[in-house]
Amino acid sequence: MMKNKTFFIKSYGCQMNEYDSNKINSLLLNDGYFNSSDIQNADLIVFNTCNIREKAAQKVYSDIGRVTKEDKSKTIALVGCVAQAENDEIFKKNKDVDIVLGPQSYHLLPKMLKAHKYYQEKQINTEFIINEKFDLIREEKSPKGVSSYITIQEGCDKFCAFCVVPFTRGPEYSRSIESIVKEAEALTESGTREIILLGQNVNAYQYIDNKEISYSISKLIDEVSKIEKVKRIRYTTSHPNNMDNELIQLHGSNEKLMPFLHLPVQSGSDEILNKMNRKYNISEYKHIIDNLKTVRPNMEISSDFIIGFPGETEKDFQATLDLVDYVGFKQSYSFIYSERPGTKAATIEDITPLVEKKLRLSILQKKLEELQLEFNKTFCNKNVDNVLIENQSQSNPEYYFGRTPFLQPVYVKSKNLTVGEEASVAIETCNHKSLYGMLSN
Ligand code: SAH
Ligand code: SF4
Ligand code: F3S
């Protein structure tokens, strides 16, 4: 009699989707569903989708095809950013989809599942019901990781010419400081030592409490750092235009704030930045980096780059390479521009051939990889005393996994480490991605 009771969630895209998928997991467990470790055996499959680039958006349809090919009895829920962007078009594209649900309304999923079963009809909800979901999703009491995300801000009002996020995640919204601190406290009680504050524009965080006190991200970070068990704080993704002086200074005064910041620049060319509607220029961007390094000399930066934005010339691309030399970015993401329906950039003529874009991307990526390797090498044959141990290898218990303050993955050989502690590790070797070493005495 137990039908439609096991589920599997497949998550695409950014950390916020990962965070949301954890919430959906809790929601379904609280509603009497059981986790399935195998997508093919699950009765309900939730695809939590990403719409940022065309490839990401298309992938979900082939994935759905694969799981429904032999078994039409499965319930398929397509949620997240593709759901928001494509709406009821989805039912036309794929007849096996039963539920379409936008990112603001996950708390409605159990209700929609019941309605679907009862009426045997497709269900859809893509309204922007701001913040209801944060109040309505109760957390399942399961052990949390040493490093945990908390969404503090969602949505975006910036409308960069290439980007779908303002359309898929809606207007900027900040959660209450009380609910964030409460969530952070609860996480630390179940083992979390590092909190990563999440938002599409995380440093645009702005909350006014009922005593009319206004909280910026800097004030929020100070509040979270008062929780004793929180050892490390990070925030992502920040926008250069919201890197105010208060936040820059905080990197020099708050020891729990890690000396590593992801600050997407997208391009090193002022002309391209202008066409992208980023609303800053390269000298302003450099100024932020210089100020951060002044208050925190060991500060390191990572970034996102878009290559081949319409109209990008060889000269614009060279400006991006020059910026990479100037900042010395560590661990960055770079993609070829993908035209997205409904965005302003989709109306700009794009004449650069794809082969040229691919060549530029490979030149940039090679340079970024070299920088990353060079940085990792500076840790070789040295003791790194603050590797936060995140977990123990399941296949070989003598190995542990941790991260440095700069987010470098570290594989540690040791017989006596505790997950959640900060260990001192003697680094022996490295590659561009990771460091390898032994527990030092
Ligand atoms: N809010 C963040 C980024 C969010 S999207 C910021 O403003 O920096 C994550 C990354 O995806 C972006 O930094 C950008 O590099 C990339 N991206 C977004 N839209 C894209 C598109 N149409 N084509 C290629 N990359 C894109
Ligand atoms: Fe997209 Fe720009 Fe908003 Fe970032 S700031 S989410 S790139 S529109
Ligand atoms: Fe993708 Fe939506 Fe995140 S489009 S990058 S999942 S906000």
Side-chain angles (χ1 to χ4, degrees), residues 52-53 162 200 237 239 264 266 278 304 306 336 338 340:
I52 203 86
R53 283 171 288 271
F162 52 81
Q200 263 94 32
T237 300
H239 191 285
Q266 314 300 356
R278 291 290 288 182
D304 292 345
I306 294 178
I336 289 181
S338 168
R340 308 305 293 127

Side-chain angles (χ1 to χ4, degrees), residues 168-337:
T168 64
R169 291 277 173 169
E172 282 179 11
Y173 176 83
S174 298
R175 278 178 76 189
S176 80
I177 187 152
E178 299 87 2
S179 68
I180 297 163
V181 171
K182 220 161 100 192
E183 191 166 333
E185 279 166 350
L187 285 168
T188 57
E189 286 316 312
S190 45
T192 293
R193 295 293 169 265
E194 175 178 273
I195 301 273
I196 306 174
L197 304 171
L198 282 186
Q200 263 94 32
N201 271 291
V202 74
N203 52 350
Y205 179 84
Q206 192 70 50
Y207 178 73
I208 299 168
D209 72 6
N210 50 18
K211 293 187 200 104
E212 297 292 305
I213 300 172
S214 164
Y215 290 90
S216 59
I217 186 166
S218 305
K219 297 224 169 63
L220 172 67
I221 291 170
D222 274 339
E223 286 304 313
V224 174
S225 62
K226 284 182 192 154
I227 304 170
E228 207 191 312
K229 285 181 180 163
V230 172
K231 301 294 178 206
R232 295 176 166 194
I233 301 173
R234 305 178 189 276
Y235 56 95
T236 196
T237 300
S238 38
H239 191 285
N241 288 356
N242 296 106
M243 285 306 297
D244 60 21
N245 198 37
E246 188 189 17
L247 184 54
I248 292 174
Q249 295 303 322
L250 196 65
H251 278 275
S253 60
N254 189 319
E255 297 250 311
K256 292 187 178 179
L257 195 52
M258 288 294 102
F260 188 71
L261 178 66
H262 186 61
L263 193 63
V265 68
Q266 314 300 356
S267 168
S269 151
D270 283 343
E271 259 137 84
I272 294 297
L273 288 175
N274 187 27
K275 285 186 190 156
M276 285 178 164
N277 194 29
R278 291 290 288 182
K279 298 200 176 89
Y280 53 83
N281 60 36
I282 286 305
S283 98
E284 286 163 340
Y285 185 86
K286 283 180 173 169
H287 198 61
I288 296 167
I289 306 296
D290 294 345
N291 286 345
L292 282 166
K293 290 194 176 179
T294 307
V295 298
R296 189 96 178 229
N298 66 341
M299 191 84 194
E300 295 294 349
I301 311 293
S302 69
S303 187
D304 292 345
F305 297 92
I306 294 178
I307 293 304
F309 186 81
E312 184 191 75
T313 62
E314 195 51 49
K315 193 165 147 254
D316 295 319
F317 176 61
Q318 189 54 49
T320 299
L321 295 179
D322 292 346
L323 182 74
V324 172
D325 282 331
Y326 182 88
V327 180
F329 293 103
K330 311 293 183 296
Q331 210 255 322
S332 294
Y333 298 94
S334 45
F335 292 96
I336 289 181
Y337 165 74

